[in-house]
Amino acid sequence: MKPTVPLRVLAERLVCCTGAGLGVIESAFLDVEHGLITRLGPRNEAPAPPPTALELSAELVTPGLCDAHTHAAWAGSRHNEYALRMAGADYEAIAKSGGGIVSSMRAVRAISEEQLAEQLVARLKRMVALGVTTFEIKSGYGLDLASERKQLRAIRTAQARLPQLTLVPTFLGLHALPPEAAGDRDGYARTVAEESYPALSEEGLFRFVDAYLDRSAFSVAQARPLCERARKDGFGLRLHIGQFADVGGAEFAAELGALSVDHAEHISPSGLAALAAAGVRVGLLPVASFTLRGPTPAIEELRKHGLPLVVASDANPGTAPTESLPLALAFAVRNYGLSVTEAVRGATVEAALSLDLKNQGQLTVGARADLVLWDLPHEDALAQPFGLSKALTVIAGGEVVHSLYAASSG
Ligand code: NIG
Ligand code: FE
């Protein structure tokens, strides 16, 4: 590993995301060496920094944000469908007539793995500039073995080119039915479980498995072979459930011990109870429901069941045409009624835990040094800046990966 310069970070408000809230330390210091947080606390208790340390300071410092649900390895643009939808066309109807996810499939199939990797790297750099250092990235726009492999290999290439970031690849095996399946959902789901999944797993291309369980997507029965195989092999599950209709996805996720269920606009009371009993996290995707003019998940019910909430961008060219986790955080507060504490935890510690990353998403001694220095006066302001970046400096694995001043320095 490349040696990194030790850092001393000074913050008026250090948002650690520890305990049950935000764990704010006022007038704080934090030291970083070899990519890890070595010390932190009130500034008046700070020992002398290592002599070679680079000092950085900001009013507000948080953990690097963690986007636990993205489709960032996409290609193409669906602006034409967006215009149709804004004029009243229905998302599910567009998908049924060969658009939607299948239109992104055509774009992914049409370009090379290298082109896809380049587009992904460029996108991730823009996301880093918004304060994100950890990314879950799904396949699911390839829809055949070769093209799903292309997406997953592009993610692997992006990780090699951006080694400071944490990229977590997910095989979204059941997303939509490709045209060559000729309407045979059962047969397609079997092929994915019996052919694509083992081949991609053999190549070590993913950490999680996902399936889109909904009335216009896949049923629990269709998803069961893939998901059970994945669980047996030790992969965690993260499932798209209840975006348009409740088809039993919550009960299924609980039965298989999924790490998270995402969207969650439609979950029955028994589904909620099952999720709570199984300790499944709920991934909220407020940009998608905003774009679709869809309903809000039953936040009060989720709270009553004590379900940990994750907030993610869902970055994709159809339902969440954004790359911005801070925008999702702002919408989680504005449209879903989350408190700032819930939303910030949902985009940091809870998101990291949903990815089984116990050493990230929090500022503690020994944690990975992923940090954001913000041009904001207080943590409550994190929920406000719609559509612009307020990240001054972003540190991932102890290295400065984005700095507003970089262009003018020197
Ligand atoms: O999370 N719900 C399904 N999948 C994605 C993106 C769909 C799309 O590309 O339109 C989502 O919204
Ligand atoms: Fe999604």
Side-chain angles (χ1 to χ4, degrees), residues 69 71 240 263 314:
H69 183 138
H71 300 260
H240 285 70
H263 285 293
D314 196 16

Side-chain angles (χ1 to χ4, degrees), residues 91-391:
Y91 175 78
E92 288 174 287
I94 290 175
K96 274 204 185 82
S97 61
I101 294 165
V102 169
S103 134
S104 295
M105 173 210 80
R106 284 191 289 270
V108 163
R109 288 188 184 179
I111 62 171
S112 70
E113 187 186 308
E114 174 56 25
Q115 285 169 320
L116 191 57
E118 283 169 15
Q119 291 186 23
L120 175 59
V121 166
R123 182 166 294 129
L124 292 171
K125 287 182 179 171
R126 293 192 292 272
M127 294 165 94
V128 167
L130 295 162
V132 186
T133 53
T134 301
F135 305 80
E136 187 259 10
I137 309 174
K138 301 175 193 295
S139 68
Y141 288 132
L143 309 184
D144 63 20
L145 172 56
S147 315
E148 290 288 304
R149 181 188 277 137
K150 186 198 288 184
Q151 276 196 290
L152 292 167
R153 284 185 181 168
I155 299 167
R156 188 175 62 186
T157 302
Q159 177 69 89
R161 291 183 193 169
L162 302 168
Q164 302 87 352
L165 306 181
T166 305
L167 307 190
V168 181
T170 293
F171 174 45
L172 172 45
L174 297 174
H175 197 196
L177 200 62
E180 65 272 13
D184 179 12
R185 273 181 199 272
D186 292 342
Y188 176 73
R190 260 197 313 276
T191 309
V192 168
E194 291 167 14
E195 293 171 22
S196 301
Y197 164 80
L200 299 168
S201 156
E202 169 93 349
E203 206 180 322
L205 283 171
F206 58 83
R207 295 253 302 272
F208 293 96
V209 169
D210 192 348
Y212 180 20
L213 303 176
D214 218 303
R215 66 182 179 202
S216 308
F218 293 89
S219 68
V220 165
Q222 286 160 346
R224 188 174 284 281
L226 170 67
C227 293
E228 283 185 346
R229 256 185 123 133
R231 285 303 284 135
K232 222 169 81 222
D233 294 344
F235 289 107
L237 297 177
R238 28 199 340 101
L239 301 173
H240 285 70
I241 69 148
Q243 184 181 23
F244 294 100
D246 181 4
V247 297
E251 288 84 347
F252 179 61
E255 178 198 330
L256 294 193
L259 271 154
S260 89
V261 290
D262 297 4
H263 285 293
E265 283 91 334
H266 303 271
I267 309 183
S268 68
S270 68
L272 286 176
L275 292 176
V280 182
R281 288 187 160 70
V282 176
L284 301 173
L285 309 175
V287 180
S289 56
F290 169 78
T291 310
L292 294 167
R293 300 192 179 99
T296 296
I299 300 297
E300 203 40 54
E301 290 302 308
L302 298 175
R303 284 189 184 124
K304 268 193 216 140
H305 282 87
L307 286 159
L309 305 178
V310 174
V311 175
S313 71
D314 196 16
N316 78 72
T319 59
T322 185
E323 298 172 346
S324 175
L325 179 56
L327 182 70
L329 194 153
F331 280 11
V333 172
R334 167 62 184 84
N335 294 346
Y336 283 7
L338 259 61
S339 67
V340 172
T341 296
E342 286 172 321
V344 171
R345 287 181 61 85
T348 54
V349 56
E350 296 298 348
L353 290 173
S354 86
L355 294 168
D356 211 17
L357 298 171
K358 299 189 178 72
N359 205 28
Q360 289 170 231
Q362 285 183 307
L363 304 183
T364 53
V365 171
R368 202 183 140 81
D370 293 345
L371 311 168
V372 187
L373 283 66
W374 297 94
D375 182 16
L376 292 169
H378 191 276
E379 57 277 14
D380 286 351
L382 287 163
Q384 282 179 348
F386 286 18
L388 70 163
S389 174
K390 296 295 261 180

